[in-house]
C-alpha cells in the first residue's frame, strides 16, 4: 500500500480521487492548499503527490519546488 497526497481545492475532485485510490488499496491524504500539503509532508511523507496547478495562495507550480526540497524524490502528478 502506498500513501498518496492529493492537493486540490475542489472538493469533488478530492472526493473522487480519494475514493478511487482508497478502493484500490492506497492510503490517501487530502489538502486544500499547497501550504497545508507542505505542512502535512513533514508529518507523513507521501509516496506520490497529485497536485493541482490552480490553488488558493501558492500555486501548484511554485509548490513543486518546495515539495522537491522537503520530499525529494517523491513523484508529482500535476493536474489542472
Amino acid at each position: 500500500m502506498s500513501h498518496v497526497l492529493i492537493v486540490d481545492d475542489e472538493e469533488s475532485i478530492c472526493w473522487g480521487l480519494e475514493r478511487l485510490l482508497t478502493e484500490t488499496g492506497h492510503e490517501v491524504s487530502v489538502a486544500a492548499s499547497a501550504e497545508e500539503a507542505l505542512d502535512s509532508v513533514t508529518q507523513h511523507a507521501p509516496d506520490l503527490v497529485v497536485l493541482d496547478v490552480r490553488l488558493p495562495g501558492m500555486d501548484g507550480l511554485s509548490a513543486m519546488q518546495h515539495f522537491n526540497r522537503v520530499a525529494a524524490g517523491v513523484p508529482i502528478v500535476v493536474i489542472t
Side-chain angles (χ1 to χ4, degrees):
M1 171 172 42
S2 61
H3 174 223
V4 179
L5 173 59
I6 300 168
V7 187
D8 199 310
D9 61 328
E10 291 187 42
E11 288 183 35
S12 60
I13 299 294
C14 293
W15 178 85
L17 287 173
E18 182 176 18
R19 184 173 173 158
L20 172 70
L21 292 166
T22 301
E23 288 178 358
T24 56
H26 300 282
E27 177 187 348
V28 178
S29 298
V30 175
S33 70
E35 293 86 356
E36 181 184 340
L38 289 164
D39 285 341
S40 75
V41 166
T42 61
Q43 302 298 318
H44 187 75
D47 299 301
L48 174 71
V49 175
V50 178
L51 179 63
D52 187 17
V53 171
R54 301 183 110 186
L55 294 167
M58 183 187 312
D59 67 78
L61 297 178
S62 298
M64 285 178 63
Q65 297 170 355
H66 294 281
F67 278 113
N68 286 328
R69 274 188 244 132
V70 296
V74 173
I76 299 172
V77 175
V78 177
I79 60 174
T80 185

